[in-house]
Amino acid sequence: LQGDHLWMMVLLEFVVSLITVWIFRTFIDRRSLASLGLSPNGYGQESLTGLFTGPALLGLLALLLMFTGHLQWVDITPDASALFISRGMVVLIAFSEELVFRGYVLSNLLESFNNKWVALLLSALCFAIFHFTGPGINSLAFANLFLAGILLGINFIYTRNLWFSICLHLSWNFFQGPLLGSHVSGLSMPTLLQTEMKGDWLVTGGEFGLEGSVLNTALSLIAILILA
C-alpha cells in the first residue's frame, strides 16, 4: 500500500479506532476518554523520553547495518510536502494504535489482572496479532512486534499515561520510514533517504523493514530492560 490508498487506510483506522474506543469507554466502562491516559499534565519528561527513544534505537540499528555493509543510502529526495504528509500519517497511526492497545486494551487488562506484567504481555500479543496481516510479515517480525508492544506499554503500567508511548510510536515510525527510507511494518511511505539493503533478510528485515531485523530484536530487549 502506498500513496492515496495508504492515506485512506490510515485515516479510516484513526476514525474507527477513535469512535470505537469512545463508544466502549463511554457506554460500557462509563468513564471519559481522557481517563485512558490522555492528560498531558506532569508527563513532559516521559513524552520527551519517548520522542527521543525511537530515533536513538533506529539510528543505532541503521548505523550497525551500514557498518556491516547491509545498508547503503543511494540518494536524497527532499520533498517538504511528502514529508509533511508522512508525518501526518505517522501521527494518526501512533495516536489511534496507542489509544486502542495501551489506552483501552492494556488499561482494562490492568484492572482485570493482579499482575501488571501479565496484562502487559497480553496487550503486546494483541498488538502483534493486529499487525499479522502486514505486508512481508514473518515469525521474526511478529516477535519484534510483540517486543514493541512491551516497549510501548512499559511506561503505561506505572503511570497510566499514554504520552510516552504515543511519542515513541510516532518518532519510531517517522524516523524509520520517511527519514531513513525503510518500510514501516511492511508499508511504503514517501522517504527522504533512498535506501538499498543487501544481505540476509534476518539482518536487514527484508520487505517488512527494519522492524523485521534480528538486530532490532536485540536492541528492543535492551531498551525494555533499561526502561524497566
Side-chain angles (χ1 to χ4, degrees):
L1 286 174
Q2 54 185 343
D4 293 339
H5 294 292
L6 180 57
W7 242 118
M8 290 174 61
M9 186 194 75
V10 169
L11 188 59
L12 180 62
E13 177 189 282
F14 173 77
V15 172
V16 171
S17 299
L18 188 61
I19 292 175
T20 303
V21 171
W22 176 78
I23 290 173
F24 274 80
R25 194 62 171 174
T26 303
F27 298 104
I28 296 179
D29 297 341
R30 303 287 182 179
R31 299 171 69 180
S32 68
L33 195 65
S35 67
L36 291 175
L38 292 172
S39 172
N41 297 330
Y43 291 98
Q45 183 176 345
E46 283 88 347
S47 300
L48 287 174
T49 302
L51 197 62
F52 287 103
T53 298
L57 290 173
L58 283 164
L60 181 56
L61 175 55
L63 288 174
L64 288 172
L65 288 169
M66 185 180 69
F67 286 132
T68 55
H70 290 90
L71 180 151
Q72 182 181 1
W73 288 295
V74 295
D75 196 10
I76 300 177
T77 53
D79 187 335
S81 62
L83 285 177
F84 180 80
I85 291 171
S86 296
R87 184 177 64 179
M89 282 195 286
V90 299
V91 168
L92 292 180
I93 291 170
F95 187 85
S96 59
E97 292 187 4
E98 292 313 305
L99 184 66
V100 172
F101 292 103
R102 259 56 66 181
Y104 194 81
V105 173
L106 181 53
S107 179
N108 279 278
L109 286 172
L110 285 168
E111 294 180 3
S112 302
F113 292 93
N114 292 326
N115 190 319
K116 61 180 177 290
W117 296 104
V118 172
L120 178 59
L121 293 175
L122 288 174
S123 69
L125 182 60
C126 291
F127 180 71
I129 291 172
F130 173 75
H131 291 85
F132 192 69
T133 58
I137 189 76
N138 53 60
S139 56
L140 179 58
F142 184 84
N144 284 347
L145 286 167
F146 175 72
L147 292 177
I150 296 174
L151 183 62
L152 289 164
I154 200 164
N155 180 268
F156 187 87
I157 65 175
Y158 293 106
T159 66
R160 301 297 196 274
N161 189 272
L162 284 175
W163 290 109
F164 167 83
S165 63
I166 290 173
C167 290
L168 171 54
H169 201 149
L170 71 86
S171 68
W172 174 283
N173 283 352
F174 187 69
F175 201 75
Q176 178 181 202
L179 293 185
L180 291 180
S182 170
H183 286 176
V184 179
S185 299
L187 301 176
S188 177
M189 294 183 178
T191 65
L192 175 65
L193 300 173
Q194 303 302 311
T195 305
E196 183 179 307
M197 306 296 285
K198 302 176 182 178
D200 195 333
W201 69 267
L202 287 171
V203 179
T204 66
E207 289 300 313
F208 196 73
L210 296 178
E211 290 170 328
S213 169
V214 69
L215 295 177
N216 181 44
T217 310
L219 291 175
S220 295
L221 286 170
I222 293 171
I224 288 169
L225 291 174
I226 291 173
L227 287 171

